Amino acid sequence: MSAMICTVGLNPTPVALAVLTSKPRPDDVLLVCSTASQPVADRLIEVLGALLPDTAFRSFPVGSGASWRATYAALVGEMPEPPYLLDYTGGTTSMTMAAVKLHLEDHESVAAGGASLRSYIDEQSGEQVYDSGAATGVDTAVLTINLLALLHCIELSLDTMLGKPKLILPQDKQLVETFVDATRSAVQKQAITDEWEAAWCGIGLGEVFARLRPTPEATKSEREGVFVELVSLAAAIASGCCEEIAFDVEAREDAQDDVISQFDVIARSGHRVVCIESKKGYLDTRDDLGHRMSTALKVFGGAARVQIHLLSTPDNQLPLTAYEQEVNSWKHAIPELDRVHLIHTFSKPSAADLRGHSASRSTGRGVDPLGAMIERLRLDLPAPSPAIGRSVPDQGVLPMTKPEFGTVMVAVGGSPILNGLILDNESRTVHVAGPRQTTQRVTAGSAVELADTTNLSAHAVWRAAWTKQPEAVLPTSSKKSAAAGLLRYAHESGAAIEHLLPRGEREFGNGITSPLSVPPRWHALLTDPGRRRAQGPCGLYQPYGTDGAVWQPDTLIERVVLQDLAARWSGVDGVTVFLATDIGVRATAPVIVTHRFHAFAVGSPFGGNTIKWPLARSLTALQATVLNARFGPAVRTWVALTDRARDECDAAQRDRWFALWDRLHMLSGVEEGDLAGAPWTAADLDAEIARYLGTAPPELA
């Protein structure tokens, strides 16, 4: 009998991939989850249990998962008899630390401490990477678009599903070239032509084309909509990289009638999914952008990507190009938007034509839009990693001379805020493990010693730790794989394991906690254009009350509400308020209120004459994702809602809003007991900010 332990977070896909890839397939799987991820574990048991009837699944909740020592104590006695497999991809860093430490203790008699039995899933490379250094491609043989959605509690209804063998293009390259050329010609003419229909028949998909093409009774608007959707479908087919393609898809949460999203085309290769939106215009895309990204992630997990294919007309070419360039400029401030790509269906205007339009840089993709669509699909859906994987010899425990006293090792890859806290509050010599370029950027201006590694795998960081031999390790600020490498070194060498706790505290190896003395450098992180630019929104904020803290009019935010809030909080002792001066971050976090170790980001996307509920939900979800990635648990996200918003919000909208609010609490790492409804008044919001920051609220005028 073989057993497996998996730590579970809010994304079920890595856990499913870990179980499906493990060879031999485990007979018993224990899902270690927090209170917040318990529903995810339940769903995994339901879906994987039906898929793998010979495997027994059960869950084990460990509370909030915030304390690694509490999680460790809870897991003692629950682990199976060794040897057993451990996948630590999901869950909190504390859950990973506890599970890895127990696994190390249970496998002391196994070669290399059981390193070949511990692994994590790298969704981007599509590999299951072991602590021994070996890796293998994930097994996606049983995955489908529907199964990935079901794992996320989403039910799909669709018009058309294409899979193998229909998606295998003919061996006759001439037929394929004819199909691509006919599609390109249709794009140039912006019309469904007889030549294009014949090309669909030539690759064996004439029946699909006939079913999807608009009827003679269709309006001009309906014909345009179907045309651009057919172009997107043709690009997905011609890319040759898709295992499945779904057309005209509606996504609903289980047991609910409300459609949370509609996707024109969904393409899948392995565990990766691209959701394609085919648009006739561009004005609604701005309001839709973050929503499409957040719903794609909600339905398919972290490996999902979004493409928006825009149909141009003679009267919208110039503003559409300018808008595409504006969105691309946001990616400098919001790297998460790199998941989203816009491609439009016309030749790029000249630079002279663009004068007078806001634009930062050109993508150069307009000359051959079909070629750009196919190229982008091949980039977003790369070929799966070889199943044979790679192997790196594990040398076992390296010879230890004696630990270097007065030293501690961390690894890059986590939140810059946490890295900065360690460096600013550490009197000992700090060794920082990670690729040289990354570590130099993160530690710029700090007195540290670099431990250069080729990557942040557990194996590479473990070897780096043995090279430096510190007396303590601090895994909190690292990627989970790097944390596992530090923990393996600590287990073998006897080095102390330390941990950063919420609210500015540190836990030492003996379990004693002590407050940190130096809070994050909020001013440098938010205003200095040269500091850690690649790691967060830097040089994009100014302190409230300074000359640079001026907002230009735009329709993304309700300025009066936010300026009133900034004015109130700027008068509170010990508080500094920062205003976003760049449109890229103003869309997601226009105001950040800071006090010692924590910050509170506030937005209010309700500009204009009507409440923009899709935009509000979209940017709020994006805000939580961006700030959580940039600052970790140090930043809480919220949205300032006005009395007008409350009055115009119907019951259905309010239910959806509260559901999103719960999601934001989870992303912010807030204890479940602190969950509350959204504050609808200035007084409610002030009380929420004060409670989180640990300060007195301002007095309302």
Side-chain angles (χ1 to χ4, degrees), residues 108-130:
E108 286 187 335
S109 60
V110 179
S116 62
L117 302 175
R118 291 187 302 277
S119 63
Y120 68 95
I121 296 293
D122 187 333
E123 279 195 282
Q124 301 311 311
S125 68
E127 290 182 322
Q128 186 173 38
V129 184
Y130 292 88

Side-chain angles (χ1 to χ4, degrees), residues 161-168 243-245:
M161 175 70 82
L162 299 178
K164 294 178 180 178
K166 283 190 174 181
L167 281 177
I168 299 176
E243 296 179 44
E244 280 185 306
I245 299 176

Side-chain angles (χ1 to χ4, degrees), residues 467-679:
T467 301
K468 298 295 184 180
Q469 299 188 6
E471 67 170 347
V473 297
L474 214 165
T476 312
S477 65
S478 314
K479 286 183 62 175
K480 291 178 183 176
S481 56
L486 292 175
L487 289 167
R488 179 182 173 188
Y489 162 78
H491 179 76
E492 294 169 349
S493 68
I497 300 172
E498 301 180 1
H499 187 44
L500 286 187
L501 298 172
R503 297 283 173 192
E505 290 186 317
R506 163 181 268 170
E507 182 182 68
F508 291 98
N510 55 10
I512 296 176
T513 61
S514 174
L516 301 175
S517 57
V518 181
R521 305 179 194 178
W522 296 114
H523 191 279
L525 284 164
L526 294 169
T527 66
D528 184 353
R531 184 177 177 82
R532 300 175 182 149
R533 185 165 185 83
Q535 297 295 312
C538 304
L540 307 175
Y541 288 86
Q542 292 296 326
Y544 178 80
T546 61
D547 292 339
V550 177
W551 278 339
Q552 299 298 321
D554 63 57
T555 59
L556 289 176
I557 58 174
E558 190 156 304
R559 294 168 47 201
V560 174
V561 172
L562 295 175
Q563 286 178 327
D564 286 348
L565 180 140
R568 291 196 308 273
W569 277 94
S570 65
V572 176
D573 186 42
V575 167
T576 303
V577 180
F578 295 88
L579 301 187
T581 55
D582 178 90
I583 189 172
V585 292
R586 190 159 72 244
T588 54
V591 175
I592 295 183
V593 184
T594 66
H595 178 257
R596 287 190 57 74
F597 289 91
H598 285 74
F600 201 109
V602 186
S604 187
F606 295 103
N609 297 323
T610 59
I611 305 299
K612 298 183 177 180
W613 285 103
L615 176 62
R617 292 196 303 271
S618 167
L619 291 181
T620 305
L622 183 60
Q623 178 193 48
T625 304
V626 170
L627 293 176
N628 190 60
R630 291 294 162 269
F631 299 115
V635 171
R636 178 80 173 277
T637 62
W638 214 270
V639 170
L641 302 178
T642 64
D643 292 339
R644 180 162 61 93
R646 176 192 59 205
D647 295 339
E648 295 189 19
C649 177
D650 60 30
Q653 289 172 327
R654 190 172 292 200
D655 287 343
R656 288 195 294 270
W657 191 265
F658 287 147
L660 173 64
W661 226 261
D662 290 346
R663 174 76 172 170
L664 294 187
H665 278 291
M666 293 178 192
L667 288 172
S668 301
V670 179
E671 294 288 344
E672 285 77 8
D674 290 338
L675 291 180

Side-chain angles (χ1 to χ4, degrees), residues 71-391:
T71 304
Y72 174 90
L75 285 175
V76 171
E78 291 295 326
M79 308 301 264
E81 288 294 321
Y84 57 87
L85 301 171
L86 169 64
D87 180 89
Y88 52 81
T89 312
T92 64
T93 301
S94 298
M95 290 164 62
T96 293
M97 290 173 63
V100 169
K101 190 171 189 307
L102 271 171
H103 192 273
L104 284 162
E105 293 172 353
D106 288 345
H107 294 81
E108 286 187 335
S109 60
V110 179
S116 62
L117 302 175
R118 291 187 302 277
S119 63
Y120 68 95
I121 296 293
D122 187 333
E123 279 195 282
Q124 301 311 311
S125 68
E127 290 182 322
Q128 186 173 38
V129 184
Y130 292 88
D131 285 10
S132 62
T136 185
V138 295
D139 186 346
T140 61
V142 300
L143 290 188
T144 64
I145 290 174
N146 277 315
L147 180 64
L148 287 169
L150 284 173
L151 284 170
H152 292 80
C153 299
I154 302 296
E155 293 183 356
L156 302 180
S157 58
L158 47 91
D159 181 280
T160 301
M161 175 70 82
L162 299 178
K164 294 178 180 178
K166 283 190 174 181
L167 281 177
I168 299 176
L169 293 174
Q171 294 296 315
D172 187 341
K173 292 184 178 180
Q174 184 61 45
L175 286 176
V176 178
E177 291 175 0
T178 299
F179 176 69
V180 173
D181 290 342
T183 304
R184 185 175 286 115
S185 175
V187 170
Q188 292 172 347
K189 296 175 182 179
Q190 300 212 343
I192 296 175
T193 63
D194 293 340
E195 174 194 14
W196 197 22
E197 182 175 8
W200 282 84
C201 295
I203 62 170
L205 294 176
E207 181 183 345
V208 173
F209 180 84
R211 188 168 71 253
L212 298 179
R213 72 176 302 169
T215 64
E217 296 78 22
T219 65
K220 179 177 182 293
S221 177
E222 290 171 339
R223 289 197 302 273
E224 288 177 344
V226 173
F227 169 73
V228 70
E229 290 169 4
L230 281 170
V231 171
S232 299
L233 180 60
I237 294 169
S239 71
C241 61
C242 304
E243 296 179 44
E244 280 185 306
I245 299 176
F247 186 80
D248 196 10
V249 183
E250 289 186 346
R252 291 180 171 83
E253 293 194 69
D254 282 356
Q256 295 188 19
D257 293 330
D258 288 346
V259 176
I260 65 166
S261 191
Q262 291 179 305
F263 304 101
D264 294 323
V265 177
I266 298 176
R268 180 189 68 84
S269 175
H271 67 288
R272 299 180 179 90
V273 173
V274 173
C275 301
I276 303 175
E277 277 299 296
S278 307
K279 293 287 188 181
K280 295 180 295 179
Y282 74 97
L283 292 176
D284 58 342
T285 306
R286 180 197 299 272
D287 294 3
D288 212 30
L289 196 62
H291 176 65
R292 289 300 170 195
M293 189 188 83
S294 59
T295 52
L297 295 176
K298 178 180 177 62
V299 176
F300 296 112
R305 296 292 182 268
V306 175
Q307 293 182 20
I308 299 178
H309 297 170
L310 296 170
L311 175 67
S312 71
T313 58
D315 60 345
N316 75 1
Q317 290 185 7
L318 292 180
L320 196 155
T321 298
Y323 170 65
E324 179 196 23
Q325 295 174 344
E326 178 187 6
V327 170
N328 285 330
S329 75
W330 295 357
K331 296 181 181 181
H332 291 302
I334 311 174
E336 279 68 20
L337 281 180
D338 241 357
R339 298 176 182 272
V340 182
H341 294 276
L342 274 67
I343 303 170
H344 48 74
T345 60
F346 64 90
S347 297
K348 184 181 65 175
S350 67
D353 292 334
L354 284 172
R355 287 185 189 130
H357 292 269
S358 61
S360 62
R361 63 188 176 100
S362 171
T363 61
R365 293 175 180 163
V367 176
D368 179 13
L370 180 66
M373 294 175 188
I374 293 173
E375 177 189 5
R376 187 69 251 173
L377 279 161
R378 289 172 177 169
L379 289 173
D380 287 343
L381 297 174
S385 299
I388 57 174
R390 66 174 187 268
S391 179

Side-chain angles (χ1 to χ4, degrees), residues 410-439:
V410 300
V412 296
S415 160
I417 287 287
L418 296 181
N419 285 319
L421 278 176
I422 294 170
L423 299 178
D424 292 343
N425 286 274
E426 188 56 71
S427 59
R428 297 170 292 183
T429 299
V430 180
H431 297 291
V432 181
R436 179 170 294 276
Q437 184 176 1
T438 304
T439 53

